[in-house]
Amino acid sequence: MRIRSFLILALITVLVTAAAIVASIGNSRPHSSIAAAGPMLPGLSERLGDVAAVVVREGGKTLTIHRTGSGGWGLAEYGDYPARIDKVRETARALVQLEKAEAKTTRADRWSRLSVDDVDAAGSTAKELILRNTAGETVADLI
């Protein structure tokens, strides 16, 4: 290899490396004020026994799974049709174990792409899960 070819190749390498550094610095992600690690619903395991209803909302529709007087769980909108207790427990365990993975975006105009926009907005594909106690107070709320 000639010295001239080597110098041209070295110059190109330096320029490409500099361009990559500039591109990576200029393309930094916005940082969320929400911690990116840890439980999604901290303290839920201690309050899980207080949960008397699970409300699922999507596109103007609501489904309420609540404790019935007989000690089981039923679907309120369907005349207290019995809900499978094993599925209710499985969902509760999954919510307690739910962990934050990483912040995705702080830009509200992109929330609909992730289905975390306002549940009541027209055309929204978001789903909201609300846990309530016997007094009707919200124990946990998650989109």
Side-chain angles (χ1 to χ4, degrees):
M1 178 184 277
R2 290 189 195 168
I3 193 80
R4 182 174 180 195
S5 299
F6 177 75
L7 290 175
I8 291 173
L9 187 59
L11 179 64
I12 291 172
T13 303
V14 169
L15 290 175
V16 169
T17 304
I21 291 171
V22 168
S24 67
I25 291 173
N27 194 18
S28 64
R29 290 181 163 205
H31 295 285
S32 174
S33 61
I34 300 171
M40 181 65 77
L41 302 167
L44 180 60
S45 59
E46 292 83 25
R47 298 176 297 178
L48 206 52
D50 299 336
V51 174
V54 178
V55 180
V56 181
R57 296 182 345 124
E58 175 188 12
K61 299 176 187 173
T62 302
L63 178 69
T64 306
I65 306 165
H66 68 108
R67 288 188 186 186
T68 60
S70 62
W73 290 80
L75 304 173
E77 290 79 10
Y78 295 94
D80 285 344
Y81 185 83
R84 290 181 48 188
I85 189 70
D86 59 323
K87 293 294 182 183
V88 174
R89 285 185 181 140
E90 182 181 322
T91 302
R93 273 194 298 270
L95 288 172
V96 168
Q97 295 172 356
L98 191 62
E99 294 278 330
K100 296 177 189 174
E102 64 179 305
K104 294 294 183 182
T105 184
T106 57
R107 293 181 49 185
D109 61 319
R110 292 188 177 175
W111 291 350
S112 63
R113 290 184 189 178
L114 300 172
S115 294
V116 294
D117 55 335
D118 184 8
V119 177
D120 297 321
S124 174
T125 58
K127 295 168 185 62
E128 182 177 26
L129 184 72
I130 306 166
L131 304 180
R132 294 194 173 127
N133 62 18
T134 53
E137 298 167 339
T138 299
V139 175
D141 192 350
L142 180 65
I143 292 181

